[in-house]
Amino acid sequence: MTSIATTLLAVLFGTLASGVWIGLTLIFTAVVLLYTFRSIPVDRLLPQYVFNILTTPELIALPLFIVMGEFLFRTRLSRALFDGLAPWAGLLPGRLLHVNVAGSSIFAAVSGSSAATTQVVGRIALSELERRGYARPIAVGSLAGAGTLGFLIPPSTIMIIYGVLADESVLRLFTAGFVPGVLLALCFMAWIMVHTTIRPELVPESERALRHVSLGERLSALRELAPVVALIVAVLGSMYGGLATPSEAAAIGVVGAMIIAAAQGGLTFATLRDVALGSVQTCAMIGLIVLGASILGNVAAILGVPRAIAGFVEGLGLAPFALILVLMLVYLVLGCFLDGFSMIVMTLPVVLPLVAGAGFDTVWFGIFLVLVVEMSQITPPLGFNLFVIQGLTGEGLMTITRHTLPYLLILVGFVVLMALFPDIALFLPRLLLG
Amino acid sequence: MSDDTLAGAAAPAVPAPVAAVLSAADGLAVLGGWLAAACLAGLTCLISAEIVTAAASRLFPSLPGGISIAWEYSAYLMGSAFLFGSALALRAGSHIRMSVLLARLRARGRRVVETVASLIGLLVTGFLAWSLVVFAVRSWQGGQISGGSFTPLWIPQAALAAGAIMLAVQMAARLLRCLLGLRPDDERFKVSGAGE
Amino acid sequence: AVTLDLATVWPDGNFHTQNAVAFADAVGKATDGAVAITVQSGGALGFKGPEQLRAVRDGLVPMADVLNIQQIGDEPLLGTESIPFLVGSADELKVLHKYLRPAYDEIAAKNNQKILYMVPWPTQYLHLKIKADGLAGLEGVKIRVPDKNAQDMCNALGMSAILMPWGEVVPALASGRVDGVSTSATSGVDGKFWEFLETIYPTNHVWSSQMVNINLDRWNEISPANREKIEALAREMEPGFWEVSVRNDKESLKLLTDNGMEVMAILPEMRAEMQARTAPLKDAFIERVPQAGPIVEAYLEELGRG
Ligand code: NA
Ligand code: NA
């Protein structure tokens, strides 16, 4: 096992450092590992994996939301969103930076994935924050952090996967994610307030002072939000009204965004061309990394890496609270190299009995897993939110990681808090579902 | 974002046949990009049609409750879009990689590292393309069909193989550019993003 | 020691997975650890249901728990059990297997593998939101089905079959996008159907089987003595696995009703009409897969239904 782990890390980091594209690096590492440690016909295994992964129905909402984000980016909608929220956000230290968190929370209620949340909100918010003169580090960091809410606030693909594997009610998991999701959003907002109070220069001079705006003006500014609200209501309404499944609802988002763009007279041939080629490149970028990450994840399962690690933790014979802390650390490290889905699927057979044996509720543990998957979204070298933001801004991966670090620490702290007070997650499902 | 990895050196003259090959590869990448866009449009239409059909059947119960191939074919369109768009994304420098080391190197060192990266890239994408072609051919010979709609599986598999071939061709062109000392990425292929 | 991964798409809690784990343990003991089987549950190795036969054939995974009716893309005959209302009980399935098994063994050999044991999925149900005492009441009901065969059957019954990935099913049930699901009681418990659905119709329309197969190249790496032990174990344990399946159906059904779902009676005339309406599907299957004709004939003959 040691030689497998060493080879994995050496090939992975060596190839990454030579500037090979991340998706291709992951495939390369997987292929090298298979040829070295197993006699499996890789030339037959690889295309089967490629076909399976790239045609996974669970992914369908992702390209749709990318297209939706591209349309919205090319409407006046983002400007309108900010104009509508400005008089309100002006009341909080950090001002419009809170749009990242609020936008992510709302969009998290629409989409099931963190990458989609980050992509859409980032497409709308980042350029506007930049235009208004907000410092890029905090704009980027808060977006990467808040984007993780995509998995925690229902609907959530990770919760569905966990529900199936752990024999737990998806409805109960969805309900359990809601309160932690809102609390986590509030924690992120609190940090933005603290951060911008310590370092006022992160907020542009022009927006720093609390502007006196009458309540009437505040309320009338809300009218600017009408198109956004209409779009969200359409997507959410179709989902909860039984017109569309969560993935299908993403198509309503695309059509809605297109209608908004058309209504604003923004649907020229040039715009359509940009939307098309912009979406295509973002999809290809995300798709290639999803492909590489899933292939490496499957190969890691063939080689038994995650099970060995989970077995190691089992062997430690820890007390319940210590067990959760150690598991968090293990998942934090695993999350650097594996995607959330692989991480859960591969470790669960060993970890779930362990955790249940230690007396933890399986719904609670599902939320715990969602949180560690959120962490894996913002830890390099494999962190999807980081990639999405790199795609949006062109900023280097390590720079984005540095800006995101405070939000990672908040996540870690939040997990500890949840371990101390499990009712944060369990209170709502008990209240609503008995 | 500065992606002018090999800039600094004046662009060397390129013999006409080589230039023709390179621009053919670019044309292929752009074609792939539009194919991917068509797949995304098809995917959106298919899912939208599924929603409309389901809603209509609620009003008129005699209508079918959905389009039976919607999910399956959407998944094929999604996979095709991912791979068809990959070559264009590579040409535009949209695929993500670690640039920490590259940024610290001088022009010559960069050129060497870029060449090595493209070589490894060609190795991986070439293997991917070849194995996908064999996969689709085997599936065609074996007459494999899907369980959801009895669709011959070689059709979506061939689409994936075609996308992978385009990516490998573009990677080969990139290697050639590195060897010739040309700029490997061209931002003109990129669509303006939020950070620009 | 020969170490073998056994790939299955079913999660740890599923009885097929638990059977496989029990088999793996027994093999480990019987061979003194010379053959170590690791059950990789929940699709952890990245193979989906319909490609398990192919994955074992190509040596991508040494062993797999293969759902036969999902392999029609490679071997159409393996779809025989998907003919609606062909089999009505585990005992009838045993009779069908008497005629099918030799053909299945041949197919396995042709695909470079060997069937160690087969275990059925218990009877299938329609899990619905509505109450109806005849097929007229089920007209147009939107029901989620897993594949084309099940789709054809539900459409033949006048329902509106919807193909949708499993991941969408629970949200779709919660929101009312679909009105029901056609599956076993076991899967009904897995999906906690009582949270969304009211009634269970014991239509008992299909009995299909999982088969645990091993790649022949890997099989031949095992010493002849151990191969014999493994084959003996498979033979000995298979009847117990069948009992687990039947018991699991009863327990799952009880769980569903304990949680408030109601089992509806299928009146004889309703059953007769269901069989009449789906009869063309049997003929269509045999026309598509002529090889199945004599097997089905012989089976029906023995049951006195020929
Ligand atoms: Na969500
Ligand atoms: Na990570």
Side-chain angles (χ1 to χ4, degrees), chain A residues 92-126:
Chain A
L92 298 175
R95 310 293 178 234
L96 286 165
L97 287 169
H98 294 287
V99 172
N100 271 342
V101 183
S104 296
S105 311
I106 293 171
F107 193 74
V110 171
S111 103
S113 103
S114 287
T117 304
T118 312
Q119 173 72 27
V120 172
V121 177
R123 208 68 175 110
I124 302 170
L126 275 187

mmCIF file of all heavy atoms in Angstrom, chain A residues 92-126:
data_model
loop_
_atom_site.group_PDB
_atom_site.id
_atom_site.type_symbol
_atom_site.label_atom_id
_atom_site.label_comp_id
_atom_site.label_asym_id
_atom_site.label_seq_id
_atom_site.Cartn_x
_atom_site.Cartn_y
_atom_site.Cartn_z
ATOM 1 N N LEU A 92 -24.648 46.532 5.795
ATOM 2 C CA LEU A 92 -23.703 45.616 6.448
ATOM 3 C C LEU A 92 -22.271 45.990 6.098
ATOM 4 O O LEU A 92 -22.003 46.390 4.965
ATOM 5 C CB LEU A 92 -23.949 44.175 5.980
ATOM 6 C CG LEU A 92 -25.303 43.559 6.288
ATOM 7 C CD1 LEU A 92 -25.399 42.184 5.637
ATOM 8 C CD2 LEU A 92 -25.509 43.438 7.780
ATOM 9 N N PRO A 93 -21.358 45.823 7.052
ATOM 10 C CA PRO A 93 -19.941 45.982 6.694
ATOM 11 C C PRO A 93 -19.596 44.903 5.664
ATOM 12 O O PRO A 93 -20.004 43.749 5.830
ATOM 13 C CB PRO A 93 -19.200 45.722 8.004
ATOM 14 C CG PRO A 93 -20.224 45.758 9.088
ATOM 15 C CD PRO A 93 -21.549 45.477 8.467
ATOM 16 N N GLY A 94 -18.846 45.302 4.639
ATOM 17 C CA GLY A 94 -18.565 44.327 3.579
ATOM 18 C C GLY A 94 -19.441 44.570 2.372
ATOM 19 O O GLY A 94 -19.182 44.069 1.291
ATOM 20 N N ARG A 95 -20.515 45.359 2.597
ATOM 21 C CA ARG A 95 -21.390 45.796 1.495
ATOM 22 C C ARG A 95 -21.738 44.682 0.503
ATOM 23 O O ARG A 95 -22.146 43.620 0.888
ATOM 24 C CB ARG A 95 -20.742 46.977 0.747
ATOM 25 C CG ARG A 95 -20.254 48.109 1.654
ATOM 26 C CD ARG A 95 -21.400 48.828 2.328
ATOM 27 N NE ARG A 95 -20.872 49.886 3.222
ATOM 28 C CZ ARG A 95 -21.178 50.009 4.504
ATOM 29 N NH1 ARG A 95 -21.996 49.160 5.066
ATOM 30 N NH2 ARG A 95 -20.690 50.979 5.224
ATOM 31 N N LEU A 96 -21.488 44.935 -0.758
ATOM 32 C CA LEU A 96 -22.007 44.021 -1.789
ATOM 33 C C LEU A 96 -21.289 42.670 -1.843
ATOM 34 O O LEU A 96 -21.704 41.789 -2.596
ATOM 35 C CB LEU A 96 -21.960 44.704 -3.152
ATOM 36 C CG LEU A 96 -23.050 45.772 -3.293
ATOM 37 C CD1 LEU A 96 -22.783 46.672 -4.469
ATOM 38 C CD2 LEU A 96 -24.417 45.099 -3.440
ATOM 39 N N LEU A 97 -20.243 42.503 -1.049
ATOM 40 C CA LEU A 97 -19.604 41.186 -1.015
ATOM 41 C C LEU A 97 -20.603 40.128 -0.533
ATOM 42 O O LEU A 97 -20.489 38.947 -0.869
ATOM 43 C CB LEU A 97 -18.399 41.214 -0.076
ATOM 44 C CG LEU A 97 -17.185 41.974 -0.619
ATOM 45 C CD1 LEU A 97 -16.162 42.188 0.462
ATOM 46 C CD2 LEU A 97 -16.586 41.219 -1.794
ATOM 47 N N HIS A 98 -21.576 40.585 0.243
ATOM 48 C CA HIS A 98 -22.571 39.634 0.741
ATOM 49 C C HIS A 98 -23.428 39.048 -0.375
ATOM 50 O O HIS A 98 -24.090 38.032 -0.180
ATOM 51 C CB HIS A 98 -23.453 40.300 1.800
ATOM 52 C CG HIS A 98 -22.692 40.667 3.032
ATOM 53 N ND1 HIS A 98 -22.259 39.740 3.942
ATOM 54 C CD2 HIS A 98 -22.236 41.864 3.477
ATOM 55 C CE1 HIS A 98 -21.597 40.344 4.909
ATOM 56 N NE2 HIS A 98 -21.557 41.637 4.653
ATOM 57 N N VAL A 99 -23.403 39.721 -1.538
ATOM 58 C CA VAL A 99 -24.170 39.179 -2.666
ATOM 59 C C VAL A 99 -23.647 37.784 -3.030
ATOM 60 O O VAL A 99 -24.409 36.892 -3.389
ATOM 61 C CB VAL A 99 -24.102 40.129 -3.877
ATOM 62 C CG1 VAL A 99 -24.731 39.477 -5.104
ATOM 63 C CG2 VAL A 99 -24.795 41.431 -3.554
ATOM 64 N N ASN A 100 -22.328 37.602 -2.912
ATOM 65 C CA ASN A 100 -21.754 36.278 -3.173
ATOM 66 C C ASN A 100 -22.413 35.214 -2.306
ATOM 67 O O ASN A 100 -22.787 34.142 -2.780
ATOM 68 C CB ASN A 100 -20.252 36.278 -2.876
ATOM 69 C CG ASN A 100 -19.433 36.676 -4.085
ATOM 70 O OD1 ASN A 100 -19.935 36.621 -5.202
ATOM 71 N ND2 ASN A 100 -18.195 37.056 -3.870
ATOM 72 N N VAL A 101 -22.524 35.512 -1.010
ATOM 73 C CA VAL A 101 -23.066 34.518 -0.080
ATOM 74 C C VAL A 101 -24.576 34.380 -0.275
ATOM 75 O O VAL A 101 -25.095 33.258 -0.410
ATOM 76 C CB VAL A 101 -22.746 34.904 1.379
ATOM 77 C CG1 VAL A 101 -23.256 33.820 2.324
ATOM 78 C CG2 VAL A 101 -21.261 35.111 1.566
ATOM 79 N N ALA A 102 -25.260 35.518 -0.325
ATOM 80 C CA ALA A 102 -26.714 35.448 -0.490
ATOM 81 C C ALA A 102 -27.061 34.792 -1.824
ATOM 82 O O ALA A 102 -27.927 33.910 -1.889
ATOM 83 C CB ALA A 102 -27.312 36.850 -0.418
ATOM 84 N N GLY A 103 -26.345 35.204 -2.878
ATOM 85 C CA GLY A 103 -26.597 34.623 -4.204
ATOM 86 C C GLY A 103 -26.343 33.129 -4.201
ATOM 87 O O GLY A 103 -27.132 32.349 -4.737
ATOM 88 N N SER A 104 -25.242 32.716 -3.568
ATOM 89 C CA SER A 104 -24.929 31.275 -3.530
ATOM 90 C C SER A 104 -25.977 30.505 -2.742
ATOM 91 O O SER A 104 -26.364 29.407 -3.121
ATOM 92 C CB SER A 104 -23.553 31.037 -2.895
ATOM 93 O OG SER A 104 -22.553 31.608 -3.685
ATOM 94 N N SER A 105 -26.439 31.080 -1.626
ATOM 95 C CA SER A 105 -27.446 30.379 -0.826
ATOM 96 C C SER A 105 -28.715 30.186 -1.637
ATOM 97 O O SER A 105 -29.308 29.107 -1.646
ATOM 98 C CB SER A 105 -27.798 31.172 0.437
ATOM 99 O OG SER A 105 -26.640 31.569 1.097
ATOM 100 N N ILE A 106 -29.123 31.251 -2.328
ATOM 101 C CA ILE A 106 -30.362 31.153 -3.116
ATOM 102 C C ILE A 106 -30.174 30.170 -4.262
ATOM 103 O O ILE A 106 -30.992 29.295 -4.502
ATOM 104 C CB ILE A 106 -30.765 32.543 -3.649
ATOM 105 C CG1 ILE A 106 -31.154 33.443 -2.494
ATOM 106 C CG2 ILE A 106 -31.911 32.418 -4.645
ATOM 107 C CD1 ILE A 106 -31.364 34.881 -2.899
ATOM 108 N N PHE A 107 -29.029 30.299 -4.952
ATOM 109 C CA PHE A 107 -28.848 29.405 -6.086
ATOM 110 C C PHE A 107 -28.634 27.964 -5.633
ATOM 111 O O PHE A 107 -28.974 27.024 -6.353
ATOM 112 C CB PHE A 107 -27.694 29.874 -6.974
ATOM 113 C CG PHE A 107 -27.711 29.163 -8.280
ATOM 114 C CD1 PHE A 107 -28.658 29.483 -9.225
ATOM 115 C CD2 PHE A 107 -26.842 28.123 -8.528
ATOM 116 C CE1 PHE A 107 -28.734 28.787 -10.406
ATOM 117 C CE2 PHE A 107 -26.903 27.423 -9.713
ATOM 118 C CZ PHE A 107 -27.853 27.757 -10.658
ATOM 119 N N ALA A 108 -28.094 27.789 -4.405
ATOM 120 C CA ALA A 108 -27.932 26.442 -3.860
ATOM 121 C C ALA A 108 -29.287 25.753 -3.710
ATOM 122 O O ALA A 108 -29.394 24.541 -3.830
ATOM 123 C CB ALA A 108 -27.225 26.496 -2.516
ATOM 124 N N ALA A 109 -30.315 26.568 -3.451
ATOM 125 C CA ALA A 109 -31.653 26.003 -3.328
ATOM 126 C C ALA A 109 -32.206 25.598 -4.691
ATOM 127 O O ALA A 109 -33.201 24.899 -4.786
ATOM 128 C CB ALA A 109 -32.589 26.994 -2.654
ATOM 129 N N VAL A 110 -31.557 26.070 -5.755
ATOM 130 C CA VAL A 110 -31.989 25.743 -7.108
ATOM 131 C C VAL A 110 -31.186 24.567 -7.660
ATOM 132 O O VAL A 110 -31.706 23.678 -8.303
ATOM 133 C CB VAL A 110 -31.836 26.974 -8.029
ATOM 134 C CG1 VAL A 110 -32.062 26.588 -9.473
ATOM 135 C CG2 VAL A 110 -32.780 28.073 -7.599
ATOM 136 N N SER A 111 -29.886 24.559 -7.391
ATOM 137 C CA SER A 111 -29.025 23.556 -8.022
ATOM 138 C C SER A 111 -28.531 22.534 -7.011
ATOM 139 O O SER A 111 -28.445 22.813 -5.816
ATOM 140 C CB SER A 111 -27.827 24.230 -8.691
ATOM 141 O OG SER A 111 -26.673 24.071 -7.915
ATOM 142 N N GLY A 112 -28.188 21.364 -7.503
ATOM 143 C CA GLY A 112 -27.763 20.285 -6.620
ATOM 144 C C GLY A 112 -26.269 20.188 -6.455
ATOM 145 O O GLY A 112 -25.780 19.324 -5.738
ATOM 146 N N SER A 113 -25.504 21.057 -7.134
ATOM 147 C CA SER A 113 -24.063 20.871 -7.053
ATOM 148 C C SER A 113 -23.337 22.169 -6.740
ATOM 149 O O SER A 113 -23.812 23.268 -7.045
ATOM 150 C CB SER A 113 -23.526 20.276 -8.357
ATOM 151 O OG SER A 113 -22.900 21.253 -9.147
ATOM 152 N N SER A 114 -22.187 22.045 -6.114
ATOM 153 C CA SER A 114 -21.416 23.211 -5.707
ATOM 154 C C SER A 114 -20.743 23.880 -6.893
ATOM 155 O O SER A 114 -20.664 25.107 -6.958
ATOM 156 C CB SER A 114 -20.353 22.814 -4.682
ATOM 157 O OG SER A 114 -20.953 22.549 -3.454
ATOM 158 N N ALA A 115 -20.233 23.074 -7.838
ATOM 159 C CA ALA A 115 -19.553 23.664 -8.989
ATOM 160 C C ALA A 115 -20.534 24.515 -9.787
ATOM 161 O O ALA A 115 -20.205 25.628 -10.219
ATOM 162 C CB ALA A 115 -18.959 22.566 -9.861
ATOM 163 N N ALA A 116 -21.770 24.014 -9.980
ATOM 164 C CA ALA A 116 -22.773 24.769 -10.734
ATOM 165 C C ALA A 116 -23.108 26.069 -10.006
ATOM 166 O O ALA A 116 -23.239 27.123 -10.626
ATOM 167 C CB ALA A 116 -24.029 23.929 -10.934
ATOM 168 N N THR A 117 -23.244 25.986 -8.671
ATOM 169 C CA THR A 117 -23.548 27.181 -7.885
ATOM 170 C C THR A 117 -22.452 28.226 -8.059
ATOM 171 O O THR A 117 -22.718 29.396 -8.328
ATOM 172 C CB THR A 117 -23.684 26.799 -6.398
ATOM 173 O OG1 THR A 117 -24.682 25.783 -6.289
ATOM 174 C CG2 THR A 117 -24.087 27.980 -5.561
ATOM 175 N N THR A 118 -21.198 27.774 -7.912
ATOM 176 C CA THR A 118 -20.078 28.699 -8.025
ATOM 177 C C THR A 118 -20.027 29.314 -9.422
ATOM 178 O O THR A 118 -19.803 30.515 -9.577
ATOM 179 C CB THR A 118 -18.757 27.950 -7.742
ATOM 180 O OG1 THR A 118 -18.922 27.201 -6.549
ATOM 181 C CG2 THR A 118 -17.614 28.924 -7.578
ATOM 182 N N GLN A 119 -20.244 28.473 -10.433
ATOM 183 C CA GLN A 119 -20.171 28.957 -11.819
ATOM 184 C C GLN A 119 -21.224 30.034 -12.073
ATOM 185 O O GLN A 119 -20.913 31.104 -12.576
ATOM 186 C CB GLN A 119 -20.357 27.772 -12.781
ATOM 187 C CG GLN A 119 -20.479 28.156 -14.241
ATOM 188 C CD GLN A 119 -19.149 28.617 -14.830
ATOM 189 O OE1 GLN A 119 -18.089 28.218 -14.380
ATOM 190 N NE2 GLN A 119 -19.224 29.482 -15.836
ATOM 191 N N VAL A 120 -22.458 29.757 -11.707
ATOM 192 C CA VAL A 120 -23.536 30.696 -12.033
ATOM 193 C C VAL A 120 -23.370 31.994 -11.254
ATOM 194 O O VAL A 120 -23.400 33.087 -11.828
ATOM 195 C CB VAL A 120 -24.914 30.064 -11.749
ATOM 196 C CG1 VAL A 120 -26.002 31.101 -11.895
ATOM 197 C CG2 VAL A 120 -25.160 28.918 -12.707
ATOM 198 N N VAL A 121 -23.177 31.880 -9.932
ATOM 199 C CA VAL A 121 -23.064 33.097 -9.120
ATOM 200 C C VAL A 121 -21.804 33.865 -9.530
ATOM 201 O O VAL A 121 -21.816 35.096 -9.646
ATOM 202 C CB VAL A 121 -23.056 32.758 -7.615
ATOM 203 C CG1 VAL A 121 -22.855 34.016 -6.791
ATOM 204 C CG2 VAL A 121 -24.361 32.089 -7.233
ATOM 205 N N GLY A 122 -20.722 33.144 -9.766
ATOM 206 C CA GLY A 122 -19.485 33.812 -10.173
ATOM 207 C C GLY A 122 -19.645 34.535 -11.492
ATOM 208 O O GLY A 122 -19.172 35.659 -11.661
ATOM 209 N N ARG A 123 -20.355 33.909 -12.417
ATOM 210 C CA ARG A 123 -20.559 34.523 -13.733
ATOM 211 C C ARG A 123 -21.321 35.829 -13.586
ATOM 212 O O ARG A 123 -21.073 36.794 -14.293
ATOM 213 C CB ARG A 123 -21.341 33.547 -14.632
ATOM 214 C CG ARG A 123 -21.057 33.710 -16.107
ATOM 215 C CD ARG A 123 -19.639 33.277 -16.400
ATOM 216 N NE ARG A 123 -19.324 33.289 -17.827
ATOM 217 C CZ ARG A 123 -18.488 34.171 -18.378
ATOM 218 N NH1 ARG A 123 -17.964 35.140 -17.656
ATOM 219 N NH2 ARG A 123 -18.187 34.086 -19.656
ATOM 220 N N ILE A 124 -22.283 35.841 -12.660
ATOM 221 C CA ILE A 124 -23.096 37.041 -12.471
ATOM 222 C C ILE A 124 -22.347 38.076 -11.635
ATOM 223 O O ILE A 124 -22.341 39.261 -11.946
ATOM 224 C CB ILE A 124 -24.426 36.696 -11.758
ATOM 225 C CG1 ILE A 124 -25.211 35.666 -12.561
ATOM 226 C CG2 ILE A 124 -25.268 37.936 -11.559
ATOM 227 C CD1 ILE A 124 -26.399 35.116 -11.811
ATOM 228 N N ALA A 125 -21.696 37.609 -10.548
ATOM 229 C CA ALA A 125 -21.253 38.551 -9.514
ATOM 230 C C ALA A 125 -19.830 39.065 -9.704
ATOM 231 O O ALA A 125 -19.560 40.247 -9.455
ATOM 232 C CB ALA A 125 -21.384 37.904 -8.138
ATOM 233 N N LEU A 126 -18.902 38.196 -10.127
ATOM 234 C CA LEU A 126 -17.491 38.592 -10.061
ATOM 235 C C LEU A 126 -17.176 39.843 -10.874
ATOM 236 O O LEU A 126 -16.514 40.759 -10.389
ATOM 237 C CB LEU A 126 -16.597 37.435 -10.514
ATOM 238 C CG LEU A 126 -16.254 36.419 -9.428
ATOM 239 C CD1 LEU A 126 -15.228 35.431 -9.940
ATOM 240 C CD2 LEU A 126 -15.759 37.085 -8.155
#
